[in-house]
Amino acid sequence: MSARLWGSFRFALCISAAVACSRRGVAPPVPTVALKDSLTVALKDSLTVALKDSLTVAESVYTVARTLKDRLDIAGLRGLTDTAAALHGPYLAARRALALALAIDSLALADSVDRRALRVMRETYADLADIPEPPGAAPPPDSVRCAYDPHSIADADSLEARLYACYGTATQSIVVDGERLDRLTVFGLLGSTGDPARRRRLFDGLDRVWRSVNGDNDAGSPYRELVRRRAREWGSGGGPTPFARRVQEVGFAPDTVERWLERLLEAWRATLPDTTREPWDLYYAMGAASRRLSPRLPRDSLLSVSERFYRALGADPRVLGIHYDLEPRAGKDPVAFTTFGARPGFRYGAWQTGAPWVFASYAVGGFDNFVELVHEIGHGIHIAGIRTRPAFSDWPDADLFTEAIADLALADAYESRWQQRHLGDSATLAENQRARYFGVALDACWALFEARLQRNPALDPNALWTDITSRYLRVVPHPELSWWAMRGQLIAVPGYLVNYALGAFIAADLRARITALHGDVALGDSTWYGFVRERIYRFGLERSSRRVMEDFLGRPVSADALLADLRRR
Ligand SMILES: [Zn+2]
């Protein structure tokens, strides 16, 4: 590596005040000894130190570039056009500096972890090219743009983008009894509305959303066309489907996972009365806990109660620097999610957390939205607990694991003891079990749906969904309705939904182990967060998800903890 390039590294590092300049930039002098071998060793040592230093510098530049990208993304997501515009220049400069900083000969790095750190940064650098469109540049699609022939769109990515945008628009404009509602509000109402005829109208109102995805369930269906095209990418080289790939990432065999999902659904079915229900009555039948507790959770209390939930566990979201954007807004992403607002690391002389941002859209309060927010803040306390070198300061290597560890504490919100203390009222064990596992059972249905459809894209999705839900949820068959088509992940991230169902197995297993080692924390324990952070949250990409799980459990993940809890009466 030339001195000039080395100088560039230092310049790159210093263009931002956000990181301190390395004081270790100069290699120690080679000792003047007579023996040739000693000189060779000393020279090699010096080169090793210099390379190590260049990697340290690269990691500092990497932190700056990624933090600027995080801020740019957050500004875009929040619709802050001016902030996004102001960040563009500094971000591009940091990215150019990063390109220079990464010009290190990886083969010369002695340490295999260092080589992996360099590889991770290079891979991420390739992804950093995407700069979000300035907000407002692309107007939300209107009804004309959403009445399209999917075959007329040339490439799969464009079809997916159009489909997702139109799905997003449809979820925001559901009209029931002359009132305009969003998708989450409709689900809330389905669980709380006593009048069966109104429930039917609410359910029918979702037809607009289903149609945005599946049209008339024929050759003109955008989703079916998208799956057909994607299947050529998955299957042509004999490669794994997205479902298989996701579960294999954490060491599961796809067949085993399908069997676990079926066992879960059989256990769930065994808890149901021996009668069938219309799909529009399903949410109400499962919603007793929500109906009882929702009056205790008005919209303006969602955040304060959720924060109190984590504060009692030693994870005060305010202290951890978690930020929120929870207001509904036209054009906002319809899916709730959490992301980095910065990269964790030492800056300004102290450890800075990942400054997590939680995005969701809550038009109303209620228990279901509360649970979703607790899940999202669960991602937030995870991000805030990451303590590793800059190259590895990221989400873990498997979404499945990431989703599971967002829910390590969540189960307590379904415990009567917790509810009584924090909400001043509680649902019964049976009602709480319904509330908790209905969502998991539905997620398992979606996971099976995707597993089977991806394996055989010629299947009729309505018939497949009808088969799964009538068998396991005891729902009256309605193959004329595409009521499966109401999860954005089906469109944008194929195979993602298995993360929730399989994640529930992982969360239950990890949670049982935490309870065995650390004790029951349902009524609060300020040492819980430190315990979990050290053993599960802190690693980022430093260790594989599989290793973190198996080290903590002392064995591979098993289905037993979840199935035992599901059968609790
Ligand atoms: Zn999540």
Side-chain angles (χ1 to χ4, degrees), residues 310 322 338 358 372-383 402 405-408 537:
Y310 282 108
I322 299 178
T338 301
V358 173
E372 183 184 76
L373 185 54
V374 170
H375 170 81
E376 293 305 330
I377 300 177
H379 284 307
I381 67 163
H382 163 210
I383 287 180
T402 302
I405 63 176
D407 281 349
L408 291 179
Y537 285 157

Side-chain angles (χ1 to χ4, degrees), residues 347-413:
R347 293 193 290 279
Y348 314 116
W351 181 266
Q352 309 291 327
T353 74
W357 268 90
V358 173
F359 288 86
S361 300
Y362 299 130
V364 296
F367 187 68
D368 303 297
N369 283 348
F370 163 70
V371 165
E372 183 184 76
L373 185 54
V374 170
H375 170 81
E376 293 305 330
I377 300 177
H379 284 307
I381 67 163
H382 163 210
I383 287 180
I386 294 174
R387 297 275 189 288
T388 183
R389 62 191 287 175
F392 298 148
S393 287
D394 213 327
W395 294 111
D397 61 2
D399 295 335
L400 182 47
F401 176 66
T402 302
E403 288 301 343
I405 63 176
D407 281 349
L408 291 179
L410 178 66
D412 289 332

Side-chain angles (χ1 to χ4, degrees), residues 140-153:
D142 54 25
S143 55
V144 177
R145 265 178 62 76
C146 289
Y148 60 99
D149 173 7
H151 303 95
S152 70
I153 298 180

